[in-house]
Amino acid sequence: MAEIKNYTINFGPQHPAAHGVLRLILELDGEVVQHADPHVGLLHRATEKLAESKTYLQTLPYMDRLDYVSMMCNEHAYCLAVEKLLGVEVPLRAQYIRVLFAEITRILNHLMWLGSHGNDLGSSTMVIYTFREREFLMDMYEAVSGARMHASYFRPGGVYRDLPTTMPQFAPNKLRTQAQTDELNANRQGSLLDFIEAFVREFPQRMDEYETLLTDNRIWKQRTVGIGVVSPERALHLGFTGPMLRGSGVAWDLRKHQPYDAYDRVDFDIPVGTTGDTYDRYLVRMQEMREANRIMGQCVDWLRANPGPVITSNYKVAPPPRALMKSSMEAQIHHFKLFSEGMHVPEGEAYAAVEHPKGEFGIYLISDGANKPYRMKIRPPGFVHLAAMDEMTHGHMLADVVAVLGTLDIVFGEVDR
């Protein structure tokens, strides 16, 4: 009697390479994938529905918790959508600060992707390397917002506050000598801009270290070259955006083609792939980190030379300065009304999208003139990319499923919402 080779297995949700709580049902012929069926919704937290019972400002922190590796980029899209409905003007300094932190977030995201993708495919060294740089980027988050992850730093009309003039410093302890402490504090003697500038200067060398480990590594190329190939036409039909689309050779980037904030004032290139495989998408993301670093350097130079306000002076949208509240009753009333009742947004609808590290992240808002969104819809890139899992893995080996899933760079906070 012939042996039956076709069988079905569960990949996740407890699998360490499932990137969260993905349940992937795989139909296999031996070790060859015939069909991949992603089951999502295990992390669903009703973010879109919750927004209907929260003020516009109270909804903002929920954005950080969607893609919890690209926190400020999520906030960015939400703020742009609210500003579009309000018709409010964002000060230029705030626009540059937003661009700076959006690019810091891009590197944060890609480092997390690189470390976990490398780890999934057998290079545990990558996680240690990438988390070394992530610590410095998290310090930048903490310096402006007080939080290392869920920052809530971008606000409708600008950003929460200006960049600090000092950086927190390490103190000696029983595990660290004074000499080691001084070494850790070497780049922390000046302002946040000085700290970012030092990072921008040193990061290309760190990128070279990552590339030395992986780019020409024979094992890495065996696991990624020719795996999950998507043609440019098919990538467009599947709704791919970001590195998934650019990896297939389509030079589409919202920062260039539909610029927002100060992106039309900075110079950078759009890296594109040629074959649309997992290796190409790796190369695209690696080059994106170098370009993001370049944008950060330009923002630092501009912000040094151009002081100014960092949030709108419309007190129905943003709170008045605390110094003004000490002497003005009207300012106190504005503050009280804004944080108790919230801002009233004119009737209408708006869609705003940003070039999120994973692709096009969009927020669609409908306002009925009240202080809460009437409806909110989130357009997450990860959800769209996951839908192509079946097509990208068909005919590949079981081990290649991990490589394809890693190249999607999905985070389930935004997939399930």
PDB file of all heavy atoms in Angstrom, residues 125-151:
ATOM      1  N   THR A 125      24.030  35.640  16.346  1.00  0.00           N
ATOM      2  CA  THR A 125      24.935  36.778  16.578  1.00  0.00           C
ATOM      3  C   THR A 125      24.263  38.089  16.179  1.00  0.00           C
ATOM      4  O   THR A 125      24.501  39.127  16.809  1.00  0.00           O
ATOM      5  CB  THR A 125      26.230  36.604  15.755  1.00  0.00           C
ATOM      6  OG1 THR A 125      26.699  35.273  15.914  1.00  0.00           O
ATOM      7  CG2 THR A 125      27.299  37.573  16.185  1.00  0.00           C
ATOM      8  N   MET A 126      23.428  38.051  15.141  1.00  0.00           N
ATOM      9  CA  MET A 126      22.818  39.284  14.623  1.00  0.00           C
ATOM     10  C   MET A 126      21.983  39.995  15.679  1.00  0.00           C
ATOM     11  O   MET A 126      21.974  41.221  15.744  1.00  0.00           O
ATOM     12  CB  MET A 126      21.943  38.983  13.393  1.00  0.00           C
ATOM     13  CG  MET A 126      22.699  38.759  12.113  1.00  0.00           C
ATOM     14  SD  MET A 126      23.995  39.970  11.767  1.00  0.00           S
ATOM     15  CE  MET A 126      23.091  41.487  11.748  1.00  0.00           C
ATOM     16  N   VAL A 127      21.276  39.235  16.498  1.00  0.00           N
ATOM     17  CA  VAL A 127      20.416  39.856  17.521  1.00  0.00           C
ATOM     18  C   VAL A 127      21.265  40.664  18.488  1.00  0.00           C
ATOM     19  O   VAL A 127      20.904  41.785  18.865  1.00  0.00           O
ATOM     20  CB  VAL A 127      19.621  38.785  18.304  1.00  0.00           C
ATOM     21  CG1 VAL A 127      18.681  39.432  19.295  1.00  0.00           C
ATOM     22  CG2 VAL A 127      18.838  37.916  17.351  1.00  0.00           C
ATOM     23  N   ILE A 128      22.397  40.118  18.880  1.00  0.00           N
ATOM     24  CA  ILE A 128      23.282  40.797  19.835  1.00  0.00           C
ATOM     25  C   ILE A 128      23.823  42.083  19.207  1.00  0.00           C
ATOM     26  O   ILE A 128      23.857  43.132  19.850  1.00  0.00           O
ATOM     27  CB  ILE A 128      24.427  39.855  20.264  1.00  0.00           C
ATOM     28  CG1 ILE A 128      23.837  38.598  20.922  1.00  0.00           C
ATOM     29  CG2 ILE A 128      25.390  40.560  21.211  1.00  0.00           C
ATOM     30  CD1 ILE A 128      24.799  37.444  21.023  1.00  0.00           C
ATOM     31  N   TYR A 129      24.242  42.014  17.950  1.00  0.00           N
ATOM     32  CA  TYR A 129      24.777  43.187  17.258  1.00  0.00           C
ATOM     33  C   TYR A 129      23.724  44.275  17.118  1.00  0.00           C
ATOM     34  O   TYR A 129      23.972  45.443  17.423  1.00  0.00           O
ATOM     35  CB  TYR A 129      25.293  42.787  15.863  1.00  0.00           C
ATOM     36  CG  TYR A 129      26.731  42.321  15.835  1.00  0.00           C
ATOM     37  CD1 TYR A 129      27.167  41.295  16.665  1.00  0.00           C
ATOM     38  CD2 TYR A 129      27.654  42.895  14.970  1.00  0.00           C
ATOM     39  CE1 TYR A 129      28.484  40.856  16.642  1.00  0.00           C
ATOM     40  CE2 TYR A 129      28.975  42.467  14.939  1.00  0.00           C
ATOM     41  CZ  TYR A 129      29.383  41.450  15.776  1.00  0.00           C
ATOM     42  OH  TYR A 129      30.676  41.021  15.741  1.00  0.00           O
ATOM     43  N   THR A 130      22.532  43.901  16.619  1.00  0.00           N
ATOM     44  CA  THR A 130      21.517  44.926  16.325  1.00  0.00           C
ATOM     45  C   THR A 130      20.956  45.556  17.594  1.00  0.00           C
ATOM     46  O   THR A 130      20.669  46.744  17.611  1.00  0.00           O
ATOM     47  CB  THR A 130      20.378  44.343  15.477  1.00  0.00           C
ATOM     48  OG1 THR A 130      19.804  43.214  16.153  1.00  0.00           O
ATOM     49  CG2 THR A 130      20.864  43.915  14.113  1.00  0.00           C
ATOM     50  N   PHE A 131      20.842  44.773  18.666  1.00  0.00           N
ATOM     51  CA  PHE A 131      20.302  45.347  19.904  1.00  0.00           C
ATOM     52  C   PHE A 131      21.285  46.316  20.556  1.00  0.00           C
ATOM     53  O   PHE A 131      20.884  47.180  21.329  1.00  0.00           O
ATOM     54  CB  PHE A 131      19.880  44.236  20.874  1.00  0.00           C
ATOM     55  CG  PHE A 131      18.440  43.851  20.702  1.00  0.00           C
ATOM     56  CD1 PHE A 131      18.008  43.195  19.569  1.00  0.00           C
ATOM     57  CD2 PHE A 131      17.508  44.193  21.663  1.00  0.00           C
ATOM     58  CE1 PHE A 131      16.683  42.871  19.386  1.00  0.00           C
ATOM     59  CE2 PHE A 131      16.170  43.876  21.500  1.00  0.00           C
ATOM     60  CZ  PHE A 131      15.754  43.204  20.357  1.00  0.00           C
ATOM     61  N   ARG A 132      22.553  46.191  20.233  1.00  0.00           N
ATOM     62  CA  ARG A 132      23.554  47.153  20.713  1.00  0.00           C
ATOM     63  C   ARG A 132      23.196  48.556  20.216  1.00  0.00           C
ATOM     64  O   ARG A 132      23.183  49.518  20.991  1.00  0.00           O
ATOM     65  CB  ARG A 132      24.923  46.724  20.202  1.00  0.00           C
ATOM     66  CG  ARG A 132      26.067  47.664  20.530  1.00  0.00           C
ATOM     67  CD  ARG A 132      27.334  47.207  19.823  1.00  0.00           C
ATOM     68  NE  ARG A 132      27.163  47.161  18.370  1.00  0.00           N
ATOM     69  CZ  ARG A 132      28.053  46.652  17.517  1.00  0.00           C
ATOM     70  NH1 ARG A 132      29.155  46.102  17.972  1.00  0.00           N
ATOM     71  NH2 ARG A 132      27.838  46.674  16.223  1.00  0.00           N
ATOM     72  N   GLU A 133      22.881  48.685  18.920  1.00  0.00           N
ATOM     73  CA  GLU A 133      22.533  50.003  18.360  1.00  0.00           C
ATOM     74  C   GLU A 133      21.128  50.443  18.758  1.00  0.00           C
ATOM     75  O   GLU A 133      20.865  51.626  18.919  1.00  0.00           O
ATOM     76  CB  GLU A 133      22.665  49.985  16.827  1.00  0.00           C
ATOM     77  CG  GLU A 133      24.040  50.360  16.334  1.00  0.00           C
ATOM     78  CD  GLU A 133      25.087  49.334  16.739  1.00  0.00           C
ATOM     79  OE1 GLU A 133      25.018  48.201  16.248  1.00  0.00           O
ATOM     80  OE2 GLU A 133      25.967  49.676  17.552  1.00  0.00           O
ATOM     81  N   ARG A 134      20.233  49.478  18.910  1.00  0.00           N
ATOM     82  CA  ARG A 134      18.859  49.822  19.322  1.00  0.00           C
ATOM     83  C   ARG A 134      18.835  50.513  20.684  1.00  0.00           C
ATOM     84  O   ARG A 134      17.989  51.374  20.928  1.00  0.00           O
ATOM     85  CB  ARG A 134      17.990  48.553  19.357  1.00  0.00           C
ATOM     86  CG  ARG A 134      17.363  48.196  18.011  1.00  0.00           C
ATOM     87  CD  ARG A 134      16.611  46.880  18.096  1.00  0.00           C
ATOM     88  NE  ARG A 134      15.527  46.923  19.074  1.00  0.00           N
ATOM     89  CZ  ARG A 134      14.304  47.389  18.837  1.00  0.00           C
ATOM     90  NH1 ARG A 134      13.990  47.857  17.641  1.00  0.00           N
ATOM     91  NH2 ARG A 134      13.383  47.386  19.776  1.00  0.00           N
ATOM     92  N   GLU A 135      19.754  50.160  21.553  1.00  0.00           N
ATOM     93  CA  GLU A 135      19.808  50.795  22.869  1.00  0.00           C
ATOM     94  C   GLU A 135      20.001  52.307  22.742  1.00  0.00           C
ATOM     95  O   GLU A 135      19.352  53.088  23.439  1.00  0.00           O
ATOM     96  CB  GLU A 135      20.954  50.202  23.704  1.00  0.00           C
ATOM     97  CG  GLU A 135      20.624  48.880  24.352  1.00  0.00           C
ATOM     98  CD  GLU A 135      19.441  48.974  25.307  1.00  0.00           C
ATOM     99  OE1 GLU A 135      19.453  49.840  26.201  1.00  0.00           O
ATOM    100  OE2 GLU A 135      18.495  48.197  25.135  1.00  0.00           O
ATOM    101  N   PHE A 136      20.900  52.722  21.850  1.00  0.00           N
ATOM    102  CA  PHE A 136      21.156  54.161  21.672  1.00  0.00           C
ATOM    103  C   PHE A 136      19.919  54.859  21.105  1.00  0.00           C
ATOM    104  O   PHE A 136      19.580  55.983  21.505  1.00  0.00           O
ATOM    105  CB  PHE A 136      22.354  54.381  20.743  1.00  0.00           C
ATOM    106  CG  PHE A 136      23.647  53.831  21.284  1.00  0.00           C
ATOM    107  CD1 PHE A 136      24.379  52.906  20.560  1.00  0.00           C
ATOM    108  CD2 PHE A 136      24.129  54.225  22.524  1.00  0.00           C
ATOM    109  CE1 PHE A 136      25.564  52.382  21.053  1.00  0.00           C
ATOM    110  CE2 PHE A 136      25.311  53.713  23.027  1.00  0.00           C
ATOM    111  CZ  PHE A 136      26.037  52.788  22.298  1.00  0.00           C
ATOM    112  N   LEU A 137      19.246  54.198  20.161  1.00  0.00           N
ATOM    113  CA  LEU A 137      18.046  54.788  19.551  1.00  0.00           C
ATOM    114  C   LEU A 137      16.919  54.887  20.581  1.00  0.00           C
ATOM    115  O   LEU A 137      16.172  55.875  20.608  1.00  0.00           O
ATOM    116  CB  LEU A 137      17.610  53.954  18.343  1.00  0.00           C
ATOM    117  CG  LEU A 137      18.617  53.936  17.183  1.00  0.00           C
ATOM    118  CD1 LEU A 137      18.318  52.810  16.225  1.00  0.00           C
ATOM    119  CD2 LEU A 137      18.628  55.269  16.446  1.00  0.00           C
ATOM    120  N   MET A 138      16.819  53.879  21.437  1.00  0.00           N
ATOM    121  CA  MET A 138      15.817  53.920  22.510  1.00  0.00           C
ATOM    122  C   MET A 138      16.120  55.049  23.495  1.00  0.00           C
ATOM    123  O   MET A 138      15.204  55.678  24.044  1.00  0.00           O
ATOM    124  CB  MET A 138      15.779  52.582  23.255  1.00  0.00           C
ATOM    125  CG  MET A 138      15.144  51.457  22.473  1.00  0.00           C
ATOM    126  SD  MET A 138      13.382  51.719  22.248  1.00  0.00           S
ATOM    127  CE  MET A 138      12.880  50.112  21.689  1.00  0.00           C
ATOM    128  N   ASP A 139      17.403  55.318  23.716  1.00  0.00           N
ATOM    129  CA  ASP A 139      17.790  56.433  24.576  1.00  0.00           C
ATOM    130  C   ASP A 139      17.300  57.759  23.991  1.00  0.00           C
ATOM    131  O   ASP A 139      16.927  58.676  24.741  1.00  0.00           O
ATOM    132  CB  ASP A 139      19.316  56.480  24.749  1.00  0.00           C
ATOM    133  CG  ASP A 139      19.833  55.374  25.656  1.00  0.00           C
ATOM    134  OD1 ASP A 139      19.013  54.776  26.383  1.00  0.00           O
ATOM    135  OD2 ASP A 139      21.045  55.102  25.641  1.00  0.00           O
ATOM    136  N   MET A 140      17.311  57.873  22.653  1.00  0.00           N
ATOM    137  CA  MET A 140      16.812  59.091  21.997  1.00  0.00           C
ATOM    138  C   MET A 140      15.303  59.223  22.225  1.00  0.00           C
ATOM    139  O   MET A 140      14.797  60.319  22.492  1.00  0.00           O
ATOM    140  CB  MET A 140      17.112  59.049  20.496  1.00  0.00           C
ATOM    141  CG  MET A 140      18.597  59.018  20.164  1.00  0.00           C
ATOM    142  SD  MET A 140      18.854  58.666  18.410  1.00  0.00           S
ATOM    143  CE  MET A 140      20.589  58.178  18.413  1.00  0.00           C
ATOM    144  N   TYR A 141      14.588  58.108  22.107  1.00  0.00           N
ATOM    145  CA  TYR A 141      13.146  58.100  22.398  1.00  0.00           C
ATOM    146  C   TYR A 141      12.900  58.580  23.826  1.00  0.00           C
ATOM    147  O   TYR A 141      12.048  59.422  24.087  1.00  0.00           O
ATOM    148  CB  TYR A 141      12.606  56.667  22.256  1.00  0.00           C
ATOM    149  CG  TYR A 141      11.856  56.365  20.983  1.00  0.00           C
ATOM    150  CD1 TYR A 141      12.447  56.580  19.745  1.00  0.00           C
ATOM    151  CD2 TYR A 141      10.569  55.846  21.017  1.00  0.00           C
ATOM    152  CE1 TYR A 141      11.767  56.280  18.579  1.00  0.00           C
ATOM    153  CE2 TYR A 141       9.881  55.542  19.851  1.00  0.00           C
ATOM    154  CZ  TYR A 141      10.485  55.759  18.638  1.00  0.00           C
ATOM    155  OH  TYR A 141       9.804  55.473  17.490  1.00  0.00           O
ATOM    156  N   GLU A 142      13.677  57.993  24.751  1.00  0.00           N
ATOM    157  CA  GLU A 142      13.476  58.294  26.177  1.00  0.00           C
ATOM    158  C   GLU A 142      13.791  59.748  26.487  1.00  0.00           C
ATOM    159  O   GLU A 142      13.134  60.380  27.320  1.00  0.00           O
ATOM    160  CB  GLU A 142      14.361  57.367  27.009  1.00  0.00           C
ATOM    161  CG  GLU A 142      14.041  57.395  28.485  1.00  0.00           C
ATOM    162  CD  GLU A 142      14.833  56.365  29.273  1.00  0.00           C
ATOM    163  OE1 GLU A 142      15.797  55.794  28.726  1.00  0.00           O
ATOM    164  OE2 GLU A 142      14.488  56.139  30.439  1.00  0.00           O
ATOM    165  N   ALA A 143      14.780  60.300  25.804  1.00  0.00           N
ATOM    166  CA  ALA A 143      15.182  61.685  26.073  1.00  0.00           C
ATOM    167  C   ALA A 143      14.065  62.675  25.740  1.00  0.00           C
ATOM    168  O   ALA A 143      13.882  63.672  26.447  1.00  0.00           O
ATOM    169  CB  ALA A 143      16.441  62.028  25.271  1.00  0.00           C
ATOM    170  N   VAL A 144      13.306  62.416  24.666  1.00  0.00           N
ATOM    171  CA  VAL A 144      12.265  63.385  24.278  1.00  0.00           C
ATOM    172  C   VAL A 144      10.913  63.112  24.922  1.00  0.00           C
ATOM    173  O   VAL A 144      10.120  64.024  25.133  1.00  0.00           O
ATOM    174  CB  VAL A 144      12.068  63.471  22.741  1.00  0.00           C
ATOM    175  CG1 VAL A 144      13.269  64.070  22.068  1.00  0.00           C
ATOM    176  CG2 VAL A 144      11.704  62.128  22.136  1.00  0.00           C
ATOM    177  N   SER A 145      10.641  61.834  25.243  1.00  0.00           N
ATOM    178  CA  SER A 145       9.282  61.511  25.690  1.00  0.00           C
ATOM    179  C   SER A 145       9.206  60.940  27.102  1.00  0.00           C
ATOM    180  O   SER A 145       8.126  60.912  27.697  1.00  0.00           O
ATOM    181  CB  SER A 145       8.662  60.491  24.729  1.00  0.00           C
ATOM    182  OG  SER A 145       9.298  59.242  24.863  1.00  0.00           O
ATOM    183  N   GLY A 146      10.342  60.437  27.616  1.00  0.00           N
ATOM    184  CA  GLY A 146      10.321  59.790  28.924  1.00  0.00           C
ATOM    185  C   GLY A 146      10.030  58.308  28.840  1.00  0.00           C
ATOM    186  O   GLY A 146      10.106  57.603  29.829  1.00  0.00           O
ATOM    187  N   ALA A 147       9.657  57.814  27.636  1.00  0.00           N
ATOM    188  CA  ALA A 147       9.367  56.388  27.447  1.00  0.00           C
ATOM    189  C   ALA A 147      10.286  55.811  26.376  1.00  0.00           C
ATOM    190  O   ALA A 147      10.626  56.498  25.419  1.00  0.00           O
ATOM    191  CB  ALA A 147       7.912  56.204  27.036  1.00  0.00           C
ATOM    192  N   ARG A 148      10.664  54.574  26.548  1.00  0.00           N
ATOM    193  CA  ARG A 148      11.578  53.951  25.587  1.00  0.00           C
ATOM    194  C   ARG A 148      10.833  53.290  24.428  1.00  0.00           C
ATOM    195  O   ARG A 148      11.437  53.019  23.401  1.00  0.00           O
ATOM    196  CB  ARG A 148      12.460  52.911  26.289  1.00  0.00           C
ATOM    197  CG  ARG A 148      13.447  53.537  27.239  1.00  0.00           C
ATOM    198  CD  ARG A 148      14.192  52.492  28.022  1.00  0.00           C
ATOM    199  NE  ARG A 148      15.135  51.719  27.219  1.00  0.00           N
ATOM    200  CZ  ARG A 148      16.331  52.163  26.850  1.00  0.00           C
ATOM    201  NH1 ARG A 148      16.723  53.381  27.189  1.00  0.00           N
ATOM    202  NH2 ARG A 148      17.138  51.409  26.143  1.00  0.00           N
ATOM    203  N   MET A 149       9.554  53.016  24.601  1.00  0.00           N
ATOM    204  CA  MET A 149       8.805  52.391  23.504  1.00  0.00           C
ATOM    205  C   MET A 149       7.590  53.208  23.119  1.00  0.00           C
ATOM    206  O   MET A 149       7.538  53.783  22.044  1.00  0.00           O
ATOM    207  CB  MET A 149       8.388  50.970  23.889  1.00  0.00           C
ATOM    208  CG  MET A 149       9.451  49.924  23.591  1.00  0.00           C
ATOM    209  SD  MET A 149       8.854  48.252  23.798  1.00  0.00           S
ATOM    210  CE  MET A 149       7.838  48.052  22.356  1.00  0.00           C
ATOM    211  N   HIS A 150       6.596  53.245  23.983  1.00  0.00           N
ATOM    212  CA  HIS A 150       5.331  53.901  23.644  1.00  0.00           C
ATOM    213  C   HIS A 150       5.424  55.392  23.976  1.00  0.00           C
ATOM    214  O   HIS A 150       5.048  55.842  25.046  1.00  0.00           O
ATOM    215  CB  HIS A 150       4.184  53.219  24.380  1.00  0.00           C
ATOM    216  CG  HIS A 150       4.102  51.750  24.096  1.00  0.00           C
ATOM    217  ND1 HIS A 150       4.153  51.249  22.817  1.00  0.00           N
ATOM    218  CD2 HIS A 150       3.996  50.677  24.909  1.00  0.00           C
ATOM    219  CE1 HIS A 150       4.072  49.926  22.860  1.00  0.00           C
ATOM    220  NE2 HIS A 150       3.989  49.556  24.119  1.00  0.00           N
ATOM    221  N   ALA A 151       5.933  56.142  23.005  1.00  0.00           N
ATOM    222  CA  ALA A 151       6.382  57.506  23.279  1.00  0.00           C
ATOM    223  C   ALA A 151       5.242  58.522  23.392  1.00  0.00           C
ATOM    224  O   ALA A 151       5.295  59.422  24.219  1.00  0.00           O
ATOM    225  CB  ALA A 151       7.345  57.947  22.175  1.00  0.00           C
TER     226      ALA A 151
END
